[in-house]
Each structure stands twice: as structure tokens, then as C-alpha cells.
Amino acid sequence: MAGAGPTAVLSSGKKMPLLGLGTWQSKAEEVYNAVKVAIDAGYRHIDTAWVYKNEKEVGQAIKEKIAEGKIKREDVFVTTKLFTSFSRPEHVKECMMQSLADLGLDYVDLYLIHSPLSFKYGSSPFSGTPEEVFDDVDYVDTWKAMEPFVDEGLAKSIGVSNFNSQQLERLLQNCRIKPAVNQVELHPYLAQQDLVDFCKRNNVLLTAYSALGAPARPKVFASGEEDPVLMDDPSVVAIAKKYGKSAAQVLIRYQLDRGVSVIPKSVTPSRIQANFDVMNFSLSKEDLATLAGLDRNLRYLNGERFSTHKYYPY
């Protein structure tokens, strides 16, 4: 994958670029341009999801870059996710086929269960009271319905998102195909070192979302208190100054240096480019230790609204 930056070999044997473009909360018309800018900047990993409602524009941008001869389909690693309201085994393929149709692709490189939580088919978790839309589907059953996608060539690799280590352990003991990736919130304020170690031991690659501290998170996820701003942390700012880099670049490099994949989101061309411009430095052991020392178990996206669900992971 030319221009991809560092890659990891997943348990599926497939290669995944460690640095990708996140697209959560990227409006459809903005994400189309963002993906084109990202591919031109060297990104070869694009992360989306059924629930982001921007797969059509992501797919269109990739299609145009392929038509231009900038990339081939096999050069770009595309991740999307099964939404929680399709958790019942009989609905899993419907969600996958909708995503492939919207992306305009024959396959995705990585397909993730978006969350261990399940919600009633056709419902929205953000309307009404959570209990009204809860379903009690076992994520192991959802997983078993996803495994055939690898056999059928619809997904090159499959994985999970927002799973804790106990849920991952249970899945590892009850699967035919191992989850290749677990995508979770990770940053110096939420280091989750135990989960990082667990995933390394079990050859599950971790991908960090909200690695910059989720500055634009929606109110539904806010804790109600004024959370500290990660990019303004004096230690982060001081390390950035030392390397002549921005706070965002340091936070991205922090994940790469601990062997974690990272998918910073932006629709601003200059930021998309700057977020990829992290290949020409790495952080010293001392600086990594300083950043690790900032851990305060602060989850910017705690999903407390769903805390009464039987599979709530936090």
C-alpha cells in the first residue's frame, strides 16, 4: 500500500494501515471532499459506519480516486460497521449489503460490530427512552452471523468496536474466525493499558477513536460536567513544542508508537494533511511515559444513556 505509512498484519493475514481517516460526524457533503484530500495526502485507510449516513459519499470519493488512477481498490483499506439495530442474526447481512451498496464496493477490508449493545430492529437508540429500544441479542450470535462474510469474500477481515476485555475474551472462546480488530476510545486521559495488553497478547489490533479528545462530541455523549480539553493539557503542549509539532500530531504519534491504529477525524483539508504528517518523528520513551502518566480514566464518549443494557461495556 504505497503512501500508507506504517501497517500491521492482522490475525486474518491482511495488512492494515495504522493511520486512517475517521468520518464520524462528518456531514455527507463534507466527507466526499475530505476522503479525496486524505487519499491525495497519503491516507490508505478510511473508516466509516452504516450509522454515519455518509457511506455513499465515502464510496464516491474512493471511486473517483480509482478512476483518476491515484489508487487501485486494493490500495485502500475500507472499514465499516454493523449497526446495533441489526444485531439479530437474521438482519446482519441486510446491514452489510446496504453498506456495500452505498459504498459501491464488492467488499470491505474490515467489518466491525459497532457495539456489544443491541437495539430493536428498525429503532434508533437516540429516540425515546433507551429501555424502550433495548434488545438482548447475544453479541456471540451476531458474530456467528458475520463470520460467513469472510467465506463469501464480502469482508476480508472482521472485528468489533467498544468491547471490553471480558467481552472480547468470551468472543475469542466462542468463535470460528477471531476478531482481528477492536476499535475503542483511547487517548492519554483514557490509556486503557490493561485492554491494550490484553489485545496484544491475543493478537487483536486496537484502533483508537477520539484520540484527540473528541472535541466535537455531541451533547448526548457529554458527561454534563466540563471535561478537560486534552489538546490543551500542559504536558501535551510542552511535548508538541519540543518536537515542533502540534498537540494533535503528538496525540496521533502516541498511538502509533504504542502499536495502536488511530483514525483522527477531520473535514478540514489542512488538518487532514497535518494529521498524516507524523511519519518523520517518534516520541522518546520519556515522553511516552509522560503521556501515559496523564491517565485519569476519562471517557469522553461514555454512553451512560445505555448503562442499564445487559452488555454495557464500561
Side-chain angles (χ1 to χ4, degrees):
M1 290 187 175
T7 58
V9 178
L10 302 176
S11 59
S12 58
K14 305 298 180 192
K15 260 189 189 175
M16 173 169 137
L18 288 180
L19 180 52
L21 178 75
T23 64
W24 180 50
Q25 291 186 278
S26 296
K27 294 186 187 78
E29 63 276 9
E30 293 176 331
V31 82
Y32 164 71
N33 188 50
V35 171
K36 293 206 298 182
V37 168
I39 289 171
D40 285 343
Y43 290 77
R44 295 294 179 267
H45 172 180
I46 311 293
D47 179 275
T48 184
W50 181 89
V51 75
Y52 299 171
K53 299 292 175 232
N54 61 20
E55 289 173 308
K56 277 186 178 154
E57 291 73 19
V58 167
Q60 188 57 35
I62 290 168
K63 187 177 173 184
E64 286 186 24
K65 284 293 158 191
I66 292 171
E68 277 175 30
K70 178 76 181 173
I71 49 166
K72 298 189 183 76
R73 168 62 187 96
E74 58 270 24
D75 294 334
V76 63
F77 189 101
V78 180
T79 301
T80 194
K81 308 177 193 83
L82 173 85
F83 192 52
T84 47
S85 59
F86 292 90
S87 298
R88 293 205 160 265
E90 63 268 27
H91 297 307
V92 167
K93 192 159 191 180
E94 179 190 344
C95 188
M96 169 57 125
M97 298 318 287
Q98 277 186 29
S99 285
L100 287 176
D102 283 348
L103 286 162
L105 299 175
D106 300 327
Y107 69 90
V108 289
D109 296 275
L110 180 62
Y111 197 56
L112 304 178
I113 295 182
H114 208 140
S115 164
L117 309 183
S118 59
F119 297 92
K120 286 176 185 152
Y121 178 67
S123 71
S124 165
F126 300 105
S127 60
T129 66
E131 287 73 17
E132 286 170 358
V133 294
F134 281 174
D135 206 345
D136 61 355
V137 185
D138 187 338
Y139 52 81
V140 170
D141 294 333
T142 306
W143 182 260
K144 287 182 172 166
M146 259 170 52
E147 288 178 322
F149 297 166
V150 177
D151 310 323
E152 295 162 23
L154 300 175
K156 301 284 187 191
S157 304
I158 51 176
V160 296
S161 180
N162 298 303
F163 274 52
N164 64 35
S165 50
Q166 289 82 5
Q167 291 168 330
L168 208 44
E169 174 73 44
R170 185 169 165 253
L171 188 55
L172 285 163
Q173 288 171 358
N174 291 283
C175 65
R176 176 171 64 88
I177 298 172
K178 277 178 63 167
V181 167
N182 184 20
Q183 186 183 123
V184 298
E185 180 180 343
L186 272 184
H187 44 74
Y189 285 172
L190 185 69
Q192 301 206 71
Q193 196 55 49
D194 289 348
L195 182 62
V196 172
D197 294 341
F198 176 87
C199 287
K200 283 211 167 112
R201 279 199 306 277
N202 289 281
N203 196 21
V204 177
L205 185 75
L206 266 179
T207 294
Y209 70 71
S210 298
L212 308 181
R217 62 193 176 282
K219 285 195 170 58
V220 71
F221 287 108
S223 60
E225 300 157 26
E226 272 303 305
D227 288 325
V229 178
L230 176 60
M231 285 195 279
D232 292 346
D233 185 284
S235 296
V236 175
V237 172
I239 291 170
K241 196 174 172 188
K242 173 180 162 184
Y243 291 91
K245 292 287 181 181
S246 68
Q249 287 169 323
V250 164
L251 294 168
I252 291 164
R253 191 69 231 180
Y254 165 71
Q255 300 299 350
L256 297 176
D257 283 344
R258 67 202 285 240
V260 169
S261 163
V262 58
I263 46 168
K265 173 255 166 182
S266 181
V267 292
T268 311
S270 60
R271 284 204 191 128
I272 292 170
Q273 289 156 345
N275 288 346
F276 197 78
D277 183 22
V278 293
M279 306 305 173
N280 57 358
F281 79 112
S282 44
L283 299 168
S284 69
K285 278 193 174 137
E286 295 73 27
D287 292 330
L288 287 170
T290 299
L291 292 169
L294 300 177
D295 188 21
R296 52 178 82 186
N297 202 28
L298 170 65
R299 201 177 287 281
Y300 286 111
L301 304 171
N302 59 28
E304 264 175 17
R305 174 180 169 81
F306 310 121
S307 59
T308 56
H309 196 288
K310 70 189 275 192
Y311 292 125
Y312 181 70
Y314 315 129

XYZ file of all heavy atoms in Angstrom, residues 42-113:
590
model
N -1.983 10.812 1.267
C -1.281 9.563 1.570
C -2.057 8.564 2.400
O -1.613 7.437 2.594
N -3.214 8.966 2.929
C -4.030 8.009 3.691
C -4.452 6.849 2.789
O -4.866 7.066 1.647
C -5.307 8.662 4.198
C -5.186 9.694 5.289
C -4.762 10.990 5.019
C -5.568 9.392 6.601
C -4.700 11.957 6.020
C -5.519 10.359 7.606
C -5.083 11.631 7.311
O -5.031 12.590 8.301
N -4.386 5.646 3.337
C -4.868 4.468 2.608
C -5.809 3.634 3.476
O -5.965 2.442 3.288
C -3.673 3.606 2.143
C -2.779 4.299 1.111
C -3.506 4.535 -0.215
N -2.697 5.214 -1.207
C -2.662 6.525 -1.405
N -3.422 7.322 -0.658
N -1.907 7.051 -2.341
N -6.429 4.297 4.448
C -7.353 3.624 5.363
C -8.457 4.641 5.679
O -8.177 5.731 6.159
C -6.567 3.218 6.626
C -7.397 2.683 7.765
N -6.820 2.291 8.948
C -8.728 2.485 7.923
C -7.773 1.867 9.775
N -8.938 1.977 9.173
N -9.699 4.276 5.350
C -10.852 5.145 5.584
C -11.844 4.382 6.453
O -12.214 3.248 6.137
C -11.542 5.553 4.250
C -10.528 6.065 3.210
C -12.661 6.564 4.513
C -9.838 7.367 3.542
N -12.277 5.026 7.545
C -13.187 4.380 8.492
C -14.557 5.052 8.440
O -14.673 6.272 8.596
C -12.604 4.519 9.909
C -13.514 3.891 10.961
O -14.454 4.560 11.430
O -13.263 2.719 11.309
N -15.595 4.249 8.219
C -16.958 4.773 8.224
C -17.855 3.773 8.950
O -17.372 2.847 9.606
C -17.446 5.100 6.797
O -18.754 5.693 6.873
C -17.486 3.893 5.885
N -19.168 3.958 8.858
C -20.133 3.061 9.515
C -21.508 3.296 8.916
O -21.809 4.394 8.439
C -20.179 3.330 11.025
N -22.353 2.258 8.991
C -23.714 2.377 8.482
C -24.414 3.581 9.114
O -25.082 4.365 8.431
C -24.487 1.087 8.792
C -25.907 1.090 8.292
C -26.342 0.674 7.063
C -27.068 1.553 8.991
N -27.709 0.844 6.961
C -28.180 1.380 8.136
C -27.283 2.097 10.274
C -29.474 1.727 8.499
C -28.577 2.454 10.644
C -29.652 2.260 9.764
N -24.231 3.744 10.431
C -24.971 4.782 11.159
C -24.454 6.201 10.880
O -25.138 7.168 11.190
C -24.964 4.482 12.686
C -23.608 4.795 13.318
C -26.092 5.226 13.402
N -23.280 6.325 10.280
C -22.763 7.680 9.988
C -23.511 8.343 8.832
O -23.390 9.549 8.625
C -21.268 7.652 9.640
C -20.343 7.126 10.712
C -19.003 6.878 10.428
C -20.791 6.869 12.003
C -18.137 6.388 11.400
C -19.931 6.377 12.975
C -18.607 6.130 12.669
O -17.742 5.640 13.609
N -24.224 7.520 8.054
C -25.013 8.047 6.928
C -24.143 8.840 5.942
O -24.576 9.856 5.387
C -26.160 8.944 7.438
C -27.144 8.213 8.341
C -27.947 7.182 7.561
C -28.865 6.340 8.421
N -28.717 4.908 8.227
N -22.923 8.387 5.728
C -22.058 9.057 4.745
C -21.313 8.061 3.852
O -20.377 8.424 3.159
C -21.063 10.005 5.444
C -20.133 9.286 6.419
O -19.944 8.072 6.342
N -19.538 10.033 7.330
N -21.762 6.800 3.876
C -21.047 5.768 3.094
C -21.114 6.052 1.581
O -20.146 5.771 0.872
C -21.636 4.388 3.395
C -21.307 3.884 4.794
C -22.039 2.594 5.145
O -23.276 2.551 4.995
O -21.381 1.630 5.551
N -22.219 6.605 1.104
C -22.330 6.891 -0.339
C -21.240 7.861 -0.775
O -20.597 7.672 -1.815
C -23.707 7.504 -0.655
C -24.780 6.460 -0.831
C -26.113 7.054 -1.288
C -27.119 5.921 -1.483
N -28.497 6.362 -1.316
N -21.038 8.909 0.028
C -20.052 9.937 -0.326
C -18.624 9.410 -0.155
O -17.750 9.711 -0.964
C -20.271 11.181 0.543
C -21.570 11.925 0.229
C -22.839 11.223 0.720
O -22.763 10.349 1.607
O -23.922 11.544 0.190
N -18.402 8.600 0.869
C -17.087 7.959 1.049
C -16.777 7.096 -0.174
O -15.693 7.173 -0.766
C -17.068 7.102 2.346
C -15.840 6.196 2.381
C -17.087 7.991 3.589
N -17.758 6.295 -0.571
C -17.573 5.408 -1.725
C -17.356 6.164 -3.022
O -16.512 5.783 -3.843
N -18.091 7.247 -3.197
C -17.965 8.057 -4.409
C -16.563 8.655 -4.514
O -15.956 8.670 -5.596
C -19.022 9.176 -4.408
C -19.127 9.973 -5.695
C -19.418 9.117 -6.930
O -20.143 8.133 -6.846
N -18.835 9.474 -8.069
N -16.051 9.148 -3.397
C -14.711 9.747 -3.383
C -13.649 8.701 -3.731
O -12.720 8.963 -4.513
C -14.429 10.357 -2.011
N -13.787 7.507 -3.172
C -12.830 6.419 -3.470
C -12.907 6.047 -4.945
O -11.880 5.904 -5.619
C -13.119 5.194 -2.567
C -12.755 5.512 -1.107
C -12.352 3.959 -3.051
C -13.257 4.490 -0.095
N -14.140 5.938 -5.440
C -14.365 5.576 -6.847
C -13.681 6.587 -7.778
O -13.036 6.211 -8.771
C -15.874 5.540 -7.096
C -16.294 5.013 -8.462
C -17.816 4.971 -8.536
C -18.302 4.624 -9.922
N -19.782 4.676 -9.976
N -13.804 7.868 -7.442
C -13.196 8.907 -8.296
C -11.674 8.841 -8.266
O -11.021 9.044 -9.287
C -13.693 10.289 -7.871
C -15.126 10.522 -8.312
C -15.618 11.927 -8.030
O -14.794 12.854 -7.917
O -16.855 12.091 -7.936
N -11.118 8.551 -7.077
C -9.662 8.451 -6.957
C -9.134 7.227 -7.715
O -8.032 7.248 -8.260
C -9.232 8.404 -5.484
C -9.313 9.774 -4.826
C -8.278 10.728 -5.414
C -8.634 12.172 -5.224
N -7.788 13.073 -6.003
N -9.938 6.161 -7.765
C -9.562 4.979 -8.556
C -9.625 5.327 -10.043
O -8.705 5.020 -10.806
C -10.478 3.772 -8.219
C -10.206 3.295 -6.775
C -10.260 2.632 -9.210
C -11.188 2.259 -6.240
N -10.693 6.043 -10.438
C -10.853 6.433 -11.849
C -9.714 7.347 -12.315
O -9.274 7.268 -13.468
C -12.208 7.126 -12.040
N -9.238 8.197 -11.400
C -8.118 9.098 -11.716
C -6.789 8.358 -11.861
O -5.807 8.937 -12.333
C -7.920 10.112 -10.569
C -8.818 11.316 -10.611
C -8.617 12.183 -9.359
O -7.506 12.211 -8.807
O -9.596 12.821 -8.944
N -6.760 7.108 -11.364
C -5.507 6.352 -11.384
C -4.625 6.638 -10.177
O -3.477 6.188 -10.108
N -5.165 7.377 -9.204
C -4.388 7.715 -7.996
C -4.171 6.466 -7.134
O -3.125 6.274 -6.524
C -5.128 8.798 -7.197
C -4.469 9.206 -5.892
C -3.273 10.107 -6.099
C -2.618 10.468 -4.773
N -1.360 11.194 -4.944
N -5.202 5.626 -7.048
C -5.133 4.381 -6.276
C -5.846 3.274 -7.040
O -6.650 3.547 -7.944
C -5.823 4.515 -4.888
C -7.218 5.148 -5.040
C -4.956 5.269 -3.900
C -8.118 5.034 -3.819
N -5.562 2.029 -6.646
C -6.370 0.881 -7.075
C -7.228 0.490 -5.869
O -6.912 0.855 -4.738
C -5.461 -0.293 -7.453
C -4.521 -0.031 -8.616
C -3.844 -1.355 -9.015
C -2.832 -1.162 -10.124
N -1.569 -0.555 -9.627
N -8.278 -0.266 -6.122
C -9.154 -0.665 -4.999
C -8.353 -1.352 -3.894
O -8.565 -1.108 -2.710
C -10.287 -1.587 -5.508
C -11.095 -2.289 -4.393
C -11.822 -1.313 -3.499
N -12.469 -1.931 -2.340
C -11.942 -2.000 -1.134
N -10.733 -1.512 -0.890
N -12.603 -2.552 -0.130
N -7.400 -2.208 -4.295
C -6.652 -2.960 -3.279
C -5.675 -2.093 -2.477
O -5.109 -2.530 -1.480
C -5.917 -4.156 -3.897
C -4.934 -3.811 -5.003
C -5.550 -3.801 -6.408
O -6.788 -3.618 -6.533
O -4.781 -3.984 -7.372
N -5.478 -0.850 -2.920
C -4.571 0.065 -2.200
C -5.229 0.727 -0.999
O -4.547 1.283 -0.143
C -4.087 1.203 -3.126
C -3.217 0.705 -4.249
O -2.583 -0.353 -4.077
O -3.177 1.365 -5.301
N -6.565 0.725 -0.973
C -7.250 1.475 0.085
C -8.015 0.509 0.988
O -8.711 -0.388 0.522
C -8.166 2.589 -0.498
C -9.281 2.026 -1.343
C -8.738 3.457 0.611
N -7.826 0.686 2.288
C -8.405 -0.188 3.304
C -9.671 0.486 3.837
O -9.603 1.563 4.437
C -7.378 -0.381 4.424
C -7.733 -1.428 5.443
C -7.144 -2.691 5.391
C -8.625 -1.146 6.470
C -7.452 -3.654 6.346
C -8.947 -2.114 7.427
C -8.353 -3.368 7.360
N -10.819 -0.134 3.583
C -12.103 0.474 3.958
C -12.741 -0.316 5.096
O -12.921 -1.529 4.999
C -13.065 0.524 2.744
C -14.404 1.157 3.141
C -12.433 1.274 1.583
N -13.054 0.407 6.172
C -13.731 -0.182 7.341
C -15.144 0.377 7.434
O -15.342 1.586 7.307
C -12.992 0.205 8.643
O -11.650 -0.264 8.585
C -13.679 -0.382 9.867
N -16.121 -0.498 7.660
C -17.444 -0.019 8.041
C -17.983 -0.924 9.137
O -17.312 -1.868 9.557
C -18.392 0.143 6.836
O -19.524 0.925 7.261
C -18.861 -1.180 6.262
N -19.182 -0.592 9.637
C -19.636 -1.231 10.874
C -21.115 -1.605 10.822
O -21.935 -0.861 10.288
C -19.396 -0.297 12.074
C -17.964 0.224 12.152
C -17.736 1.212 13.283
C -16.407 1.924 13.136
N -16.462 3.074 12.237
N -21.401 -2.755 11.433
C -22.767 -3.249 11.610
C -23.434 -2.450 12.718
O -22.931 -2.425 13.846
C -22.723 -4.733 12.011
C -24.063 -5.348 12.382
C -24.779 -5.825 11.132
C -23.906 -6.477 13.380
N -24.564 -1.819 12.420
C -25.204 -1.022 13.465
C -25.959 -1.914 14.452
O -26.400 -3.011 14.127
C -26.118 0.050 12.862
C -26.550 1.056 13.895
C -25.601 1.693 14.681
C -27.895 1.321 14.117
C -25.991 2.589 15.672
C -28.287 2.223 15.095
C -27.326 2.854 15.873
N -26.132 -1.371 15.658
C -26.696 -2.120 16.783
C -28.148 -2.563 16.571
O -28.605 -3.505 17.206
C -26.631 -1.252 18.053
O -27.128 0.051 17.733
C -25.204 -1.105 18.557
N -28.871 -1.877 15.679
C -30.264 -2.281 15.453
C -30.377 -3.412 14.423
O -31.469 -3.846 14.097
C -31.106 -1.075 15.014
O -30.586 -0.516 13.835
N -29.227 -3.883 13.931
C -29.201 -5.040 13.020
C -28.526 -6.240 13.695
O -28.012 -7.121 13.028
C -28.433 -4.706 11.743
C -29.086 -3.685 10.848
C -28.827 -2.328 10.998
C -29.963 -4.077 9.843
C -29.409 -1.386 10.167
C -30.558 -3.143 8.998
C -30.285 -1.788 9.167
N -28.527 -6.262 15.047
C -27.754 -7.278 15.777
C -28.327 -8.689 15.657
O -27.602 -9.665 15.816
C -27.667 -6.907 17.260
O -26.994 -5.684 17.415
N -29.630 -8.799 15.435
C -30.215 -10.150 15.320
C -29.628 -10.848 14.089
O -29.528 -10.234 13.026
C -31.744 -10.077 15.207
C -32.392 -9.580 16.466
C -33.829 -10.003 16.676
N -34.129 -9.852 18.107
C -34.033 -10.834 18.990
N -33.704 -12.049 18.590
N -34.280 -10.629 20.268
N -29.244 -12.110 14.250
C -28.562 -12.810 13.143
C -29.271 -12.697 11.798
O -28.623 -12.554 10.759
C -28.512 -14.267 13.636
C -28.435 -14.130 15.138
C -29.284 -12.933 15.477
N -30.618 -12.684 11.816
C -31.342 -12.627 10.539
C -31.252 -11.263 9.859
O -31.603 -11.128 8.685
C -32.817 -13.042 10.727
C -33.631 -12.139 11.626
C -33.648 -12.570 13.092
O -32.681 -13.221 13.556
O -34.638 -12.243 13.782
N -30.781 -10.235 10.581
C -30.697 -8.891 9.997
C -29.260 -8.463 9.675
O -29.060 -7.418 9.060
C -31.313 -7.852 10.945
C -32.769 -8.056 11.189
N -33.681 -8.180 10.170
C -33.476 -8.175 12.346
C -34.896 -8.371 10.685
N -34.790 -8.369 11.997
N -28.293 -9.256 10.102
C -26.885 -8.860 9.965
C -26.499 -8.636 8.497
O -25.899 -7.620 8.146
C -25.971 -9.915 10.644
C -24.509 -9.711 10.259
C -26.127 -9.847 12.155
N -26.901 -9.571 7.636
C -26.499 -9.452 6.227
C -27.175 -8.258 5.546
O -26.592 -7.619 4.665
C -26.795 -10.736 5.456
C -26.133 -10.742 4.077
C -25.972 -12.125 3.504
C -25.083 -12.084 2.281
N -24.894 -13.428 1.690
N -28.384 -7.942 5.982
C -29.102 -6.792 5.405
C -28.289 -5.506 5.598
O -28.148 -4.695 4.677
C -30.462 -6.664 6.094
C -31.298 -5.499 5.601
C -32.534 -5.262 6.465
O -32.917 -6.153 7.251
O -33.104 -4.155 6.370
N -27.746 -5.334 6.796
C -26.941 -4.139 7.083
C -25.680 -4.130 6.237
O -25.314 -3.109 5.639
C -26.593 -4.092 8.570
S -25.802 -2.558 9.088
N -25.015 -5.285 6.163
C -23.789 -5.397 5.357
C -24.063 -5.057 3.895
O -23.320 -4.284 3.277
C -23.237 -6.821 5.484
C -22.125 -7.154 4.510
S -20.708 -6.029 4.630
C -19.376 -7.184 4.887
N -25.135 -5.595 3.330
C -25.421 -5.380 1.904
C -25.815 -3.927 1.635
O -25.488 -3.372 0.589
C -26.503 -6.349 1.409
C -26.125 -7.825 1.503
S -24.420 -8.238 0.993
C -24.562 -8.047 -0.786
N -26.496 -3.290 2.606
C -26.802 -1.860 2.463
C -25.512 -1.040 2.417
O -25.372 -0.127 1.598
C -27.651 -1.379 3.639
C -29.137 -1.648 3.498
C -29.934 -1.014 4.643
O -29.544 -0.001 5.212
N -31.060 -1.624 4.984
N -24.581 -1.378 3.308
C -23.304 -0.648 3.345
C -22.525 -0.839 2.047
O -22.007 0.125 1.486
C -22.451 -1.104 4.535
O -22.963 -0.580 5.741
N -22.439 -2.073 1.566
C -21.709 -2.324 0.318
C -22.354 -1.581 -0.849
O -21.658 -0.997 -1.682
C -21.644 -3.827 0.021
C -20.698 -4.656 0.900
C -20.819 -6.141 0.555
C -19.249 -4.203 0.760
N -23.691 -1.584 -0.891
C -24.402 -0.880 -1.970
C -24.113 0.616 -1.901
O -23.823 1.256 -2.922
C -25.899 -1.144 -1.880
N -24.165 1.183 -0.693
C -23.924 2.620 -0.547
C -22.474 2.971 -0.867
O -22.200 3.994 -1.507
C -24.291 3.086 0.863
C -25.803 3.228 1.053
O -26.524 3.187 0.031
O -26.254 3.371 2.191
N -21.553 2.131 -0.431
C -20.128 2.376 -0.717
C -19.793 2.131 -2.191
O -18.784 2.640 -2.692
C -19.250 1.462 0.163
C -19.150 1.842 1.640
C -18.653 0.652 2.458
C -18.229 3.049 1.851
N -20.643 1.342 -2.867
C -20.353 0.991 -4.259
C -19.185 0.032 -4.364
O -18.441 0.029 -5.354
N -19.024 -0.824 -3.359
C -17.906 -1.765 -3.317
C -18.408 -3.205 -3.293
O -19.515 -3.488 -2.836
C -17.054 -1.521 -2.054
C -16.399 -0.142 -1.907
C -15.708 -0.031 -0.557
C -15.401 0.104 -3.044
N -17.550 -4.115 -3.773
C -17.878 -5.546 -3.726
C -17.537 -6.143 -2.374
O -18.048 -7.191 -2.002
C -17.079 -6.315 -4.796
C -17.384 -5.829 -6.201
O -18.536 -5.432 -6.428
O -16.478 -5.836 -7.058
N -16.605 -5.502 -1.674
C -16.180 -6.000 -0.363
C -15.644 -4.834 0.458
O -15.272 -3.796 -0.094
C -15.079 -7.070 -0.504
C -13.750 -6.532 -0.997
C -12.776 -6.079 -0.099
C -13.464 -6.453 -2.366
C -11.565 -5.560 -0.553
C -12.256 -5.940 -2.822
C -11.312 -5.496 -1.907
O -10.119 -4.982 -2.354
N -15.625 -5.024 1.783
C -14.905 -4.090 2.660
C -13.694 -4.836 3.219
O -13.681 -6.072 3.292
C -15.776 -3.531 3.808
C -16.811 -2.567 3.259
C -16.414 -4.631 4.635
N -12.696 -4.080 3.612
C -11.491 -4.693 4.166
C -11.696 -5.112 5.610
O -11.086 -6.072 6.081
C -10.326 -3.711 4.042
C -10.024 -3.436 2.584
O -9.268 -4.219 1.980
O -10.597 -2.475 2.022
N -12.568 -4.391 6.310
C -12.825 -4.696 7.720
C -14.277 -4.363 8.041
O -14.751 -3.266 7.731
C -11.874 -3.860 8.599
C -11.985 -4.039 10.113
C -11.664 -5.473 10.529
C -11.043 -3.073 10.836
N -14.955 -5.327 8.651
C -16.346 -5.122 9.067
C -16.423 -5.347 10.569
O -16.009 -6.397 11.071
C -17.272 -6.091 8.332
C -18.739 -5.702 8.381
C -19.149 -4.453 7.928
C -19.704 -6.569 8.880
C -20.490 -4.084 7.965
C -21.049 -6.220 8.915
C -21.434 -4.963 8.450
O -22.763 -4.594 8.488
N -16.913 -4.342 11.294
C -16.927 -4.386 12.755
C -18.346 -4.435 13.311
O -19.247 -3.789 12.773
C -16.252 -3.126 13.334
C -14.820 -2.804 12.902
C -14.357 -1.497 13.548
C -13.867 -3.938 13.253
N -18.535 -5.168 14.410
C -19.744 -4.997 15.224
C -19.562 -3.661 15.934
O -18.596 -3.481 16.664
C -19.899 -6.132 16.261
C -20.125 -7.481 15.587
C -21.041 -5.808 17.228
C -20.338 -8.639 16.567
